[in-house]
Amino acid sequence: MISNIPALHFLIVGSLMFFIGVYGFLTRKNIIAMLLSAELMINAVAFNFAILNRYVFPVHLEGYFFSLFIIAVAAADAAVAIAIIINIYRNFDTIEVEEVDDMKY
Amino acid sequence: MEQIITYILLALMLIFSVMTVTSGRILRSAVYLLTVLVATAAIYFIMQYQFLAAVQITLYAGGIVVLIIFSILLTHHIEHRMENPVFWKAMISALAALGAVAMIAWVLKDAQSIQNVAGFIPPKMEDIGMALLSYGKQGYVLPFEVISVLLLAAMIGAIAVAKPALLQFKNKNFKQDDQ
Amino acid sequence: MVSGIIGTLVLGTITVLSYFTAWQYFFTDGKVDGAYRAITGFNHVWLTLTESLHIDLGVLLDPISVMMLLVVSTISLMVHIYSLGYMKGEDGFYRYYAFLSLFTFSMLGLVVATNIFQMYIFWELVGASSYLLIGFYYKKPSAVAASKKAFIVTRFADLGFLIGILILSFFTGTFDFAALTNPSGQVLGSIAGTSFIGLSVLSWSMILIFMGGAGKSAMFPLHIWLPDAMEGPTPVSALIHAATMVVAGVYLVARMFPVYAIWAPESLAIIAFVGAFTSLFAAVIACTQTDIKRILAYSTISQIGYMMLALGVAGYGGEAGSGFTASMFHLTTHAMFKALLFLGAGSIIHAVHSNEMGDMGSLRKYMPVTAITFLIACLSISGIPPFAGFFSKDEILAAAYTSQPIYFWVEWFVAGLTAFYMFRLYFGVFWGKKTEYKHKPKEAPLSMTIPLIVLAIGAAAAGFIPFGDFVSSDGLAHEASFHWNIASLSILIALAGLALAAWLYLRESSRPEKVAAGFKGFYTAAYHKFYFDELYLFITKKIVFELISQPLAWFDRHIVDGFMNLIGRMIYRFAVAVKRFQSGQMQQYAFVFVSGVVVLALIILIWWT
């Protein structure tokens, strides 16, 4: 059983994972790599929800369903993001985020 | 035993997260992400959230990552190496992230007291299904429906965005007919 | 072509309905106890301002509006038919008929207005459609200038009209004609006493309203637009600038006549003076012009002066009201013969392709129908019996004689001038020198000659209508007594004018030049229309533009605009500085976003703990 592991350890790992995602999102130049970082963040959030549900309200399932819906939203989000990326690649011949700045002022 | 495995899994998650955002090769990056997601699913298993773990593996690890790998193969050479981020930019980003981590750590010091509540019964598949379709208290039928509409919209949107060439082609034909 | 036929058919229907209305009104419904009453056929309250002050739209039938219905619909129908031939093949044929129908609609609406504000609305519509029609050949700069001139001059006059309406309605609290023109009305008595610079407020408002009428009717000194308005197509001149729109001013005064006659006799005196002066002034100019349409235009101004004078010398009711009847009578006959003259001129221009008298001569051989109908019209306007103009002019002269003999002598002289300039035109065009034509002039097509013939019958026979039985200032029939002494005097001077014209112009000779040389200074002044256009140009260009408008324009351009430009430029500078933030670099945005969230979260945490 995991009951003898404190919730704090899981939460620390979840938060670190989230901010590693943030770091990746800010530094990566490749749009797909940025998408990977975003997925990392989404996963971290879902993970934290599941953990808190498991430890704080084990009888109810609110956090559980939140995780479930987050995964579904992540799926939708990834599908649209990849469609956009492919379109960008087709139009700009690159997926470097710094090259794609046609919509500035 | 379970405890040791759990800690190993947590360590794997952290290590591969870092590798996901630092690896120079995009395909490897995606595979590292896959590892993170699978490790997360494993922890869900250990917590006896079997359904969630299954969804995590099929949808996340199986669906999304495969999708991403496809798009990588569509847009990159397999040998492509990404250039490293500019140093000062990486530093600033790291600083922002670390600041946020520090803040979270400060909040988490209150979470030390959270202990396992006794009387945990692993959720049964039946309960989950009923909760998803019930509209009373603890019922999730509305988000369930909304998410289905969202997925439909995302699917159509993805097709519309990714296939502009097809639409343009049709328009061209139409115009030619017109003239 | 379709548009013309539709317009003509619809107008034919309207004409038939008008005649039916007239029949019903004059012989069946209108007369109660021997007097014609006003019938409000239909009235719809449109805008309510106060309890009693509201703007309505409706139909008012009384002798003068029914009479105007007949005149307007008849002349308009004739012009519609005539234009089918005249405008054939022109660019913008459809546009032409649309404008023509718009004009007819506005004119009919003006005529049947139940209240002064409805009249004002249609008055402006008439002005707008007149503007459109004068500027019909919008590619010609002179036509554009003429349409602008007409619009601006009449707008200026309408300003007076509007102010007059506002003063009147402010003091009386009503727009309604029925209340305003009730001779025993209480409405006006209260304000007749209020005085302002020597005249009562009522008189002032009536003078201002007359100013609007003077603008539309081209009275001196607002006459300058009418001769230029001849730039429009000739049938339009016949319809608008001879028979219907220009008499709107006369109609307005006639409509408000009880108010003028009973409560504001001072303004009536002004009307009489302006009418008399205008008729003399325009007749003198008409004698010297060479453009046939301009001669007709000045003749129109002169004849409208007659009508105004007749109204001006009239009183309310009984024998004194004969001037009113005479004015309306002359309006009707004038509409007939002047429309005929213009349409005849149109048919001449159609054949010769020129407006100048110098290019014409001996046309009677080529265009017999036009020549005969034109002759009838000339005889009619000159006041030769038994044509229509004789009877109406005689009544005006009689009314002037019984009221103020000085006006009689002026108008008597003008009658002679009228005969002279009309026959100068007639002889110059149809007789006179033998002219060699490049294209042999042909008689106009049937669609043009039929209206000529119909109007010629009207111009010849309209004088026998017992007009006094139908139209009078107080609704009671009054027998116009025939004055042999006045009639013989006027016939005498008309024949004298005719004879002088014949002596000068029947055969080609050098006499006209000699006569002109005899009156050299006067002739040149009259030829240049007494320099009124130049005077107005001087006033507007040299005084208004340079001394008032240009400083204002400078102020507007440099101070007002400058201030606005300053604000705009400052915002622009700011925007240029700020737009660098929007770099299009997504990660930069994300970084700002993340740091913002962190900072905000920190603030909230510190706040709470």
Side-chain angles (χ1 to χ4, degrees):
Chain A
M1 287 299 282
I2 59 164
S3 46
N4 21 18
I5 302 174
L8 188 62
H9 295 183
F10 291 105
L11 292 179
I12 288 172
V13 170
S15 311
L16 281 175
M17 194 155 69
F18 183 86
F19 287 105
I20 290 166
V22 169
Y23 170 80
F25 193 84
L26 293 182
T27 51
R28 291 290 200 161
K29 286 183 178 162
N30 188 306
I31 298 179
I32 293 181
M34 285 170 70
L35 178 63
L36 289 176
S37 311
E39 296 295 340
L40 211 52
M41 286 190 268
I42 294 171
N43 186 50
V45 172
F47 182 68
N48 273 6
F49 267 115
I51 294 296
L52 284 171
N53 187 52
R54 174 68 175 77
Y55 275 86
V56 184
F57 302 109
V59 187
H60 301 304
L61 290 172
E62 270 116 354
Y64 187 91
F65 280 111
F66 251 103
S67 306
L68 216 53
F69 286 130
I70 286 170
I71 291 169
V73 172
D77 147 33
V80 176
I82 282 166
I84 292 172
I85 288 169
I86 288 174
N87 209 354
I88 287 174
Y89 182 70
R90 205 175 277 146
N91 286 318
F92 290 83
D93 262 332
T94 176
I95 50 169
E96 299 295 302
V97 69
E98 282 167 3
E99 313 276 323
V100 186
D101 59 356
D102 273 19
M103 280 173 76
K104 70 175 174 185
Y105 44 87
Chain B
M1 185 62 192
E2 267 184 351
Q3 217 169 332
I4 298 167
I5 291 174
T6 308
Y7 278 117
I8 291 172
L9 285 173
L10 285 178
L12 275 179
M13 278 167 70
L14 271 185
I15 292 164
F16 281 103
S17 295
V18 173
M19 284 170 78
T20 306
V21 298
T22 50
S23 164
R25 299 198 179 188
I26 183 84
L27 197 57
R28 289 187 185 178
S29 221
V31 175
Y32 298 150
L33 177 70
L34 180 65
T35 318
V36 174
L37 296 176
V38 171
T40 315
I43 289 181
Y44 291 161
F45 269 121
I46 288 169
M47 291 194 301
Q48 290 175 297
Y49 282 170
Q50 279 90 353
F51 180 62
L52 189 57
V55 170
Q56 172 91 0
I57 288 179
T58 51
L59 206 73
Y60 229 135
I64 296 174
V65 173
V66 168
L67 209 58
I68 289 174
I69 288 173
F70 270 156
S71 68
I72 291 170
L73 294 179
L74 274 175
T75 53
H76 290 80
H77 263 293
I78 201 89
E79 256 107 62
H80 180 77
R81 284 193 72 91
M82 289 186 291
E83 49 187 310
N84 286 326
V86 187
F87 180 73
W88 61 265
K89 195 176 164 188
M91 280 299 110
I92 291 179
S93 305
L95 212 66
L98 282 176
V101 166
M103 192 181 70
I104 291 292
W106 188 26
V107 175
L108 282 182
K109 73 181 192 302
D110 298 341
Q112 278 168 350
S113 56
I114 296 175
Q115 286 304 323
N116 197 13
V117 181
F120 172 73
I121 309 148
K124 278 183 290 184
M125 200 48 228
E126 191 190 350
D127 297 340
I128 295 168
M130 292 308 288
L132 269 182
L133 291 181
S134 85
Y135 46 82
K137 208 176 173 215
Q138 307 288 327
Y140 294 91
V141 74
L142 181 66
F144 183 72
E145 289 299 326
V146 170
I147 210 85
S148 62
V149 173
L150 173 76
L151 284 170
L152 179 66
M155 196 161 75
I156 296 170
I159 293 169
V161 171
K163 282 283 175 196
L166 180 70
L167 294 173
Q168 275 165 12
F169 182 64
K170 272 187 180 165
N171 280 342
K172 214 180 278 172
N173 274 353
F174 183 68
K175 265 184 196 160
Q176 276 167 356
D177 286 351
D178 219 348
Q179 285 155 1
Chain C
M1 214 50 205
V2 184
S3 59
I5 289 165
I6 293 172
T8 312
L9 284 179
V10 171
L11 203 67
T13 321
I14 291 173
T15 313
V16 170
L17 288 175
S18 301
Y19 276 89
F20 180 70
T21 311
W23 179 265
Q24 284 281 319
Y25 182 80
F26 282 128
F27 297 107
T28 319
D29 293 340
K31 211 160 193 171
V32 176
D33 301 334
Y36 285 107
R37 66 198 166 97
I39 300 173
T40 306
F42 143 83
N43 198 32
H44 170 70
V45 177
W46 182 47
L47 274 180
T48 309
L49 303 177
T50 68
E51 192 71 13
S52 61
L53 195 64
H54 41 79
I55 301 175
D56 303 353
L57 288 179
V59 174
L60 177 74
L61 294 180
D62 69 352
I64 54 173
S65 73
V66 173
M67 178 206 85
M68 284 295 284
L69 272 184
L70 291 187
V71 171
V72 171
S73 57
T74 309
I75 303 294
S76 188
L77 178 64
M78 290 305 137
V79 168
H80 270 73
I81 295 172
Y82 182 89
S83 301
L84 286 176
Y86 187 84
M87 298 298 286
K88 196 172 184 175
E90 289 269 1
D91 281 346
F93 188 81
Y94 304 100
R95 191 159 52 89
Y96 175 79
Y97 266 94
F99 290 166
L100 212 57
S101 299
L102 174 68
F103 171 78
T104 312
F105 159 73
S106 326
M107 194 66 207
L108 291 172
L110 189 159
V111 164
V112 300
T114 55
N115 61 76
I116 197 161
F117 213 93
Q118 184 191 353
M119 197 169 184
Y120 181 72
I121 292 169
F122 282 100
W123 186 274
E124 293 298 345
L125 262 176
V126 165
S129 41
S130 156
Y131 165 79
L132 292 171
L133 282 167
I134 297 170
F136 179 74
Y137 298 116
Y138 60 92
K139 285 174 185 159
K140 221 162 78 179
S142 62
V144 174
S147 65
K148 273 196 265 183
K149 188 171 179 181
F151 194 69
I152 292 169
V153 174
T154 52
R155 279 298 314 160
F156 177 70
D158 294 347
L159 181 68
F161 186 18
L162 183 60
I163 296 172
I165 292 175
L166 294 180
I167 294 177
L168 194 65
S169 57
F170 179 77
F171 281 101
T172 60
T174 181
F175 289 127
D176 203 22
F177 282 135
L180 284 174
T181 59
N182 187 354
S184 57
Q186 301 298 311
V187 197
L188 296 164
S190 56
I191 81 162
T194 323
S195 69
F196 178 73
I197 323 183
L199 282 177
S200 73
V201 169
L202 185 60
S203 295
W204 279 111
S205 74
M206 294 323 279
I207 289 169
L208 284 168
I209 288 176
F210 170 66
M211 180 178 159
K216 271 276 185 294
S217 290
M219 289 291 100
F220 178 87
L222 297 170
H223 65 279
I224 51 162
W225 64 273
L226 186 60
D228 287 22
M230 296 303 138
E231 290 291 345
T234 312
V236 167
S237 308
L239 176 61
I240 298 184
H241 308 120
T244 55
M245 186 184 94
V246 289
V247 299
V250 179
Y251 179 71
L252 174 65
V253 176
R255 174 54 82 210
M256 302 297 288
F257 189 72
V259 186
Y260 279 110
I262 298 173
W263 300 105
E266 303 91 343
S267 34
L268 214 51
I270 293 176
I271 293 175
F273 177 75
V274 169
F277 183 77
T278 308
S279 66
L280 176 63
F281 172 81
V284 171
I285 296 178
C287 293
T288 59
Q289 298 296 307
T290 56
D291 182 319
I292 59 173
K293 281 179 78 181
R294 272 178 195 272
I295 297 175
L296 293 177
Y298 279 107
S299 134
T300 304
I301 297 175
S302 169
Q303 298 300 314
I304 294 167
Y306 264 104
M307 298 174 207
M308 285 291 187
L309 170 83
L311 283 174
V313 297
Y316 187 77
E319 192 60 29
S322 64
F324 181 87
T325 309
S327 175
M328 291 297 109
F329 194 14
H330 197 57
L331 193 159
T332 311
T333 57
H334 173 256
M336 296 290 168
F337 58 67
K338 190 48 68 66
L340 174 55
L341 284 172
F342 265 106
L343 294 184
S347 123
I348 295 165
I349 293 166
H350 200 62
V352 184
H353 301 292
S354 167
N355 282 3
E356 285 298 316
M357 255 170 80
D359 299 337
M360 302 164 189
S362 307
L363 275 174
R364 71 182 189 285
K365 290 170 198 152
Y366 306 105
M367 313 176 71
V369 178
T370 311
I372 291 167
T373 50
F374 207 85
L375 176 64
I376 292 172
C378 286
L379 289 170
S380 189
I381 192 175
S382 306
I384 309 286
F387 295 99
F390 166 71
F391 294 98
S392 53
K393 198 172 277 188
D394 177 63
E395 280 200 37
I396 291 178
L397 290 173
Y401 188 76
T402 48
S403 168
Q404 274 156 318
I406 172 78
Y407 288 140
F408 165 74
W409 291 111
V410 171
E411 294 308 315
W412 178 76
F413 178 63
V414 172
L417 283 178
T418 309
F420 171 71
Y421 67 68
M422 284 323 295
F423 276 92
R424 169 174 174 262
L425 175 63
Y426 176 72
F427 288 133
V429 171
F430 290 101
W431 296 70
K433 64 181 189 298
K434 304 252 183 308
T435 312
E436 294 299 321
Y437 293 103
K438 256 187 240 158
H439 309 282
K440 212 164 183 197
K442 280 202 300 276
E443 182 57 270
L446 212 59
S447 63
M448 287 163 72
T449 47
I450 286 174
L452 289 180
I453 293 165
V454 172
L455 287 170
I457 294 168
F464 294 105
I465 301 171
F467 217 76
D469 290 353
F470 300 124
V471 178
S472 64
S473 55
D474 52 0
L476 297 163
H478 95 96
E479 192 62 41
S481 45
F482 197 69
H483 312 274
W484 272 113
N485 46 351
I486 291 169
S488 49
L489 270 175
S490 73
I491 294 170
L492 203 66
I493 190 137
L495 287 174
L498 201 163
L500 182 64
W503 181 65
L504 287 171
Y505 297 102
L506 190 57
R507 302 259 174 275
E508 194 177 7
S509 68
S510 58
R511 288 171 201 153
E513 282 81 18
K514 281 180 199 153
V515 176
F519 296 96
K520 194 162 188 329
F522 190 69
Y523 177 83
T524 338
Y527 184 76
H528 291 107
K529 305 149 206 166
F530 294 106
Y531 301 102
F532 262 96
D533 281 336
E534 284 77 5
L535 177 69
Y536 281 119
L537 268 185
F538 177 78
I539 292 174
T540 50
K541 262 206 179 120
K542 289 273 149 62
I543 297 176
V544 177
F545 281 8
E546 285 189 2
L547 296 183
I548 300 172
S549 302
Q550 283 185 352
L552 280 179
W554 184 90
F555 182 81
D556 185 53
R557 218 165 278 152
H558 290 92
I559 311 283
V560 178
D561 285 10
F563 186 62
M564 290 301 148
N565 286 342
L566 187 72
I567 294 177
R569 205 159 287 149
M570 273 163 58
I571 290 173
Y572 173 74
R573 289 271 158 76
F574 180 70
V576 168
V578 159
K579 79 175 182 183
R580 305 252 162 254
F581 288 120
Q582 190 149 14
S583 60
Q585 294 298 327
M586 228 240 296
Q587 286 176 320
Q588 205 172 317
Y589 304 162
F591 175 74
V592 172
F593 171 66
V594 168
S595 355
V597 167
V598 170
V599 169
L600 272 181
L602 267 177
I603 290 171
I604 291 168
L605 279 176
I606 291 165
W607 211 270
W608 277 357
T609 47

